[in-house]
Amino acid sequence: MARTSRWHLLFFLLPVVLWLFLLIVLPHIDLLVMSLRIENDDGNTIWSLANYRNFFNEPIYWRTFARTAVYSIIVTLITFVIALPVAFYITKVVAPRRRGFLMLLLLLPFWVSELVRVYGWMILLRESGVINHLLLRMGILDRPVEMLYNDATMIMGLVYTSMLFMVVPLVSVLESLDDSLIEAAYDLGANMWTVLFKIIIPHALPGIVSGAIVVFMLTLGNYLTPNLLGGKNSLWFTEQIYNQFIASFNWNQGSAFGFLLLLLSSLIIWAGLKLTRQNLSQVAR
Amino acid sequence: MARTSRWHLLFFLLPVVLWLFLLIVLPHIDLLVMSLRIENDDGNTIWSLANYRNFFNEPIYWRTFARTAVYSIIVTLITFVIALPVAFYITKVVAPRRRGFLMLLLLLPFWVSELVRVYGWMILLRESGVINHLLLRMGILDRPVEMLYNDATMIMGLVYTSMLFMVVPLVSVLESLDDSLIEAAYDLGANMWTVLFKIIIPHALPGIVSGAIVVFMLTLGNYLTPNLLGGKNSLWFTEQIYNQFIASFNWNQGSAFGFLLLLLSSLIIWAGLKLTRQNLSQVAR
Amino acid sequence: MQIDLSVQDATKRFGTFTAVDAVSFEVETGRFFSILGPSGCGKTTLLRMIAGFEAPTAGRIVIGGADMAGIPPNRRPANLIFQHLALFPMMTVAENIAFGLKRRRESKAAIQDKVAAILDRVGLPGFGNKKIDQLSGGQKQRIAIARCLVLDPAVLLLDEPLGALDLKLREQMKVELKTLQSQVGTTFVYITHDQSEALVMSDFVAVMNRGRFEQVDAPMTLYRHPRTPFVARFVGESNAWTGEVADRDETTATLVVADGRRFRSRAPESLSIGDRAELFVRPEALILQPDPENDRLNRFTVTVRTILFDGANSRLLARWSGGDEDVTIALPQNRQFDHIRAGDEVEAGWDPASGILFPLEA
Amino acid sequence: MQIDLSVQDATKRFGTFTAVDAVSFEVETGRFFSILGPSGCGKTTLLRMIAGFEAPTAGRIVIGGADMAGIPPNRRPANLIFQHLALFPMMTVAENIAFGLKRRRESKAAIQDKVAAILDRVGLPGFGNKKIDQLSGGQKQRIAIARCLVLDPAVLLLDEPLGALDLKLREQMKVELKTLQSQVGTTFVYITHDQSEALVMSDFVAVMNRGRFEQVDAPMTLYRHPRTPFVARFVGESNAWTGEVADRDETTATLVVADGRRFRSRAPESLSIGDRAELFVRPEALILQPDPENDRLNRFTVTVRTILFDGANSRLLARWSGGDEDVTIALPQNRQFDHIRAGDEVEAGWDPASGILFPLEA
């Protein structure tokens, strides 16, 4: 207490907190207000639930919405399954001096803009791309196959982009796991799976949930990757929002979609937390 | 050593490493190859440096390129200056049980898609938006001011998006700073600024550099925020790349731009590491 | 003699918890003063108040004659050696030592001379260019002390600095620290939970418990004449019995303990017949096979349960014949009882003058 | 008697560094066997090889008659108590203890009975539903032991489990652990760097240095008849002098040390006139004001530098008159030398039979 006042830190923090508040709370209130208004036939804006009604009446809207939610969950699960052994390897198996190099590998996706990276994949995977060329040469394929614009490619791209956000919390939570707990379990007769499910996962749960939240959010809200890699039938809900704002210039409808996305993500995360019996402050720590 | 073989972890990791390799190295080689080829008048693709020549001959290209670099550095600096006191406050001042709540605040930007967030700001800041409305009411303004489509708004948006990526490495590096080092310096006669520059910053340097790299990369490669918040004169280099691929359908020119962006970011990060006398593996650890 | 540190009714409350409860004491110039207590007794909070890291809720702290109220740590003439030393790992040994001098804006030449002089004094000449992580535990210890001593503080505060060291090194540093202190003549205030550290090094020891000083005395007095049951229990080993006073004369009383056994012991005047009391007897006050002529002794027969051999510090764990309470008896260093084995019956006794008797609070 | 653990020429190399160098020993059923050595001597590596966490580079480890080569830790009849205990914080006390039993797929009822029985045995009945972080340091200790004992291992391995405890609690746990071991009768292999722990608790102590066993003996033999200079120095305090053998008879030799002083001491037969040798004398072997009649003693006069008062374990730090070497002399527990002050001259002496003499390697 004495220290707080001595360092006068609140003095620094007040503007920061205020600034965050302005950037978070105000825009969302405004978004909510916008979504509840429509332009009537006279050109005046009036209060209405029409924007939300549109969402439920038009199957393409809510189907895309559901698709986006399910695929985001799938991406989160795949990312977790890949990230856990990677994080375990980095923290517990590899010599500490080589740890830096491995973490660096995980930073690589940030080395290059998401946009450029996606184009790189597109060049690689398109009908006239290198992969098709190689497969034809080796006689595995008779004629080129379109590997872009399908769900598998999109999911792969999303998982790749999300890896770091899952590995970092897992690494930090596994670092706090005393090696001797694993050894003790092993010494007491446990096999690898028992150690994984009884010791490692219970200990890592806060990190798992925190990583899953971030990955889920980022995937749900991603625009570029699904837009560029996904096919005609792989519409992502962010594209619907983008279309409303830019293509249709219907800001009220776009706001309603934005707000629905916010509600969806909050709901799924709430369900996830209930399921794993975690609470948010535990997770963030 | 005995443990490694016992856990058979390489068995898990081999596909992961292979997969990362395929996703990183192959696309970039392909990108480089693409960028060195053009379509000649006969419709055949030939080797040429024309794509790179275009970049240097057309001022709009390399000016946007330089602007993007300078602004990304500015965003990184601003983010650092804001994030350091926040991270210090979270690790050293606040009671541990409230730490979770504060880290949660920092996770908030991920709660909602970047797209929706940016639209929220647009609604707030546009000429007919709430801020203008309030300022007019309070008599501070005579007539609405366009607060969108300028550099300040864009930078604010980019800094907000980047905060978490700077705060998390700073928090982890400040957590490893023994409180008693700060107290010892204070006890030996140092004031707040000496403690900051002689103890805290030297200790936090690896975290600062690691945060700065990620923030710089993400900002440099961002597409949505500069595209939507920036004005006509605030063109971001990713937009140039997007235009080449989508609008002009000139994939070769787009690849050249993508490769130039990769070179630029590598160069600036190399310079930054030299300047702070850090090396990458230290930073990533 | 001059008083370097004077603490008057210092109190520190955290919410409803009183960590330090109206503690007062004075330390004369050049003394080695220890505060000894179990973890959580408030000794660290007291030390941090003296250093200036905590503001007292009430009371005064005076260092070198000046009231320290409101003066921050960086302007107090007191320096603190932290438990884990808190040497700056990003600086060399010389930069560490020069840190405080630079803050005082002394000249480069003066700083260089002072650093070299203090390195000589702590027995590490020429170590200036070493990195902190090149030093051994004992060397780090000495550099941490040098870094504070070079500032010539009125009082040097030490927060269990030996706790992190290996056993053998700790024994050696105890002697070294005491020697260093007597050479430089700086006033030391040392806190520890290790009674042996406090006894060996200090001129005076304050025993602290639950935020209060139970007793402040020279080590020998503390050990031989503890003033409270807590001190008797905490400082040195003891056998303890509870019973009722059956009889007393001017200086001694007879105590009847649980199983009817009677002991005569030196007793404080406040103790009257019928009072309940607690009796402490040190293991080394129990004499094996005492001189049969001496009829002043309390005598009894015990069965040896086990021999706790520990070189010069060996003890017997024995049991009253028929009872179920353990008695610890020190084995004399002259090996005259090497023949004793577990299961043997031996006679033991103790002089009433070596008993320590306290009235038991009801 | 049955051999529970037999280690034959166990060797462990990490690259070019040999952590454990051809160590052999056997432990009989029900013994408390300690391995004592400074940090880095290889004792932890040795223990981890027995537990199965490290594979020996060469040599055999046999537990309960079965060769352990290639058998992983989860199928060895040996359990390890870790230095920081490694209790599972996500489980209750009962779940911790039941962990190993569940892995053996024992029935729920059997598990419940065994958990209750072992909690009784370690003196914590009814603690099953507590969380680990609700336990005190000593209670955690006992739960960690219970968690292993419930599996009824042939050998229980302990890796300095008292290191993390407070001083007072450590003293108490030493006695408790020894008592528990003799009650349950399980074979204990205990490693520590604290000589007092090893001496007090063990039936046999192996002193380890640089990957090798220097001596394996009962505690008393180890202390009184160390077989190497390392053991003499590491086990207990010693005064040490180096000199040349000037003369010898069948059992004793005369050593001339640096300043010309001559000492007679019991000597090994291998030592000849003219050899350089190192002499160790325990502080408690130095007698203050020895009986003037006894002409066998080595005698000298010293000046008291300081009194290291530490209750029953007090010592004098003294200096040869005219010399600059410190001599440590134990003060007898009977307080007969309370009158001695720093600066006094006192006569001291020691019996040649209590000297320990080693030939010095050239």
Side-chain angles (χ1 to χ4, degrees), chain B residues 118-130:
Chain B
V118 172
Y119 284 129
W121 290 333
M122 287 171 76
I123 293 169
L124 198 72
L125 295 171
R126 62 187 174 155
E127 264 186 280
S128 56
V130 173

Side-chain angles (χ1 to χ4, degrees), chain C residues 178 196 224 306 310 338, chain D residues 178 196 224 306 310 335 338:
Chain C
K178 185 188 170 83
S196 154
R224 298 206 176 127
T306 182
D310 191 8
D338 272 12
Chain D
K178 185 187 171 84
S196 155
R224 297 208 176 126
T306 184
D310 191 7
R335 298 176 52 180
D338 272 12

